[in-house]
Amino acid sequence: MNTLVLTAHGSKDPRSAANARAVASRLVRMRQDLDVRIAFLERNSPNLVDVLASLPDARRAVVSPLLLASAYHARLDIPKQIAEAGAYGVRQADVLGEDDRLVSILRWRLAEVGVSGRDRGLGVLVVAIGSSDGAVNARTATVAAKFAKGTRWAGATMAFATGPQPSVAEAADRLGRLGARRLVIAPWFLAPGRLLDRVQGYARQAGIAMAAPLGAHRLMVETLLDRYDQAIAGQAAA
């Protein structure tokens, strides 16, 4: 049996690890041919190094990042921990990225708080975690345009909870200048956590509605499985 090592960032907030475990549970239900194991890069256990070191055959394993962006953790941290574990032959799948299925989840999260694509007076703040890599932020910023496609909203724009501009407050001001009479925040986050709580605090003070993060949705799991299958196919073609 091949192994999928679902690898999350890890957090001091237990809600983050709980979401990762919920994703792993859905993976098990949707692909019973896989040995699904969960690992964390930091702050939670089991850590990735220990999980990889415990595998009977790393050549039959794929490390599947539960990460949205191809930033530091995907490009440097995971390869470093793979090397520390001596897991030679293990493959690393791509990150989730700006997949259309994840954008669909975001739309459903907004529908849960009563948002319609026909609301001409609405401005949507898609809020993500920023990176020190400008190219990563530029790719993340494409989510807002994808999200707004086919709607009648006054506008949709990306804001970053950390790092680069625009901040959430700056993006909210920009949407107001574009004519938005009402705002809503759509978190481009995998799970609840302390950083998202700060965004929620801003939303509450500003009177802005906020949707839930992406969470352990079926389409999230389908995207992970696609990345896993691509990693397997890539090795077969090599």
Side-chain angles (χ1 to χ4, degrees):
M1 181 178 284
N2 289 338
T3 300
L4 185 157
V5 183
L6 181 69
T7 304
H9 178 277
S11 169
K12 293 180 180 179
D13 191 311
R15 294 171 295 174
S16 178
N19 181 74
R21 292 190 173 95
V23 171
S25 294
R26 291 201 80 148
L27 280 166
V28 170
R29 294 196 299 272
M30 290 175 68
R31 281 288 290 271
Q32 296 180 15
D33 61 314
L34 289 177
D35 171 22
V36 177
R37 306 194 186 195
I38 190 166
F40 298 93
L41 296 173
E42 56 184 58
R43 297 186 181 131
N44 296 111
S45 60
N47 66 60
L48 180 58
V49 173
D50 289 344
V51 170
L52 292 177
S54 72
L55 296 178
D57 185 356
R59 293 170 298 179
R60 297 181 65 85
V62 172
V63 172
S64 294
L66 185 58
L67 300 170
L68 288 170
S70 183
Y72 170 81
H73 293 293
R75 291 187 283 106
L76 298 174
D77 201 6
I78 290 178
K80 177 184 176 183
Q81 294 196 30
I82 289 173
E84 285 179 16
Y88 304 107
V90 72
R91 286 147 286 178
Q92 180 178 336
D94 286 340
V95 297
L96 295 160
E98 302 75 41
D99 195 280
D100 288 344
R101 286 165 291 196
L102 304 188
V103 176
S104 293
I105 299 173
L106 207 59
R107 291 194 182 102
W108 288 336
R109 296 298 183 226
L110 279 193
E112 290 172 349
V113 294
V115 170
S116 166
R118 298 186 296 274
D119 189 342
R120 294 181 183 274
L122 185 70
V124 178
L125 291 156
V126 183
V127 181
I129 298 173
S131 168
S132 59
D133 187 325
V136 171
N137 295 326
R139 287 193 296 273
T140 301
T142 64
V143 172
K146 285 186 177 186
F147 194 40
K149 188 175 181 180
T151 72
R152 298 179 182 179
W153 298 333
T157 190
M158 183 65 67
F160 293 99
T162 60
Q165 295 177 324
S167 68
V168 180
E170 289 167 341
D173 288 343
R174 179 174 180 270
L175 287 173
R177 293 194 298 272
L178 290 174
R181 299 187 300 274
R182 183 168 66 92
L183 300 178
V184 65
I185 292 175
W188 188 246
F189 279 66
L190 293 169
R194 296 181 180 184
L195 181 56
L196 198 53
D197 284 348
R198 293 207 294 269
V199 177
Q200 178 72 71
Y202 166 81
R204 191 178 297 112
Q205 289 183 349
I208 300 173
M210 181 166 153
L214 298 172
H217 194 280
R218 174 183 56 83
L219 291 179
M220 172 71 66
V221 176
E222 286 185 7
T223 307
L224 280 163
L225 288 171
D226 268 3
R227 301 293 182 267
Y228 168 85
D229 289 335
Q230 289 162 8
I232 292 291
Q235 187 195 43

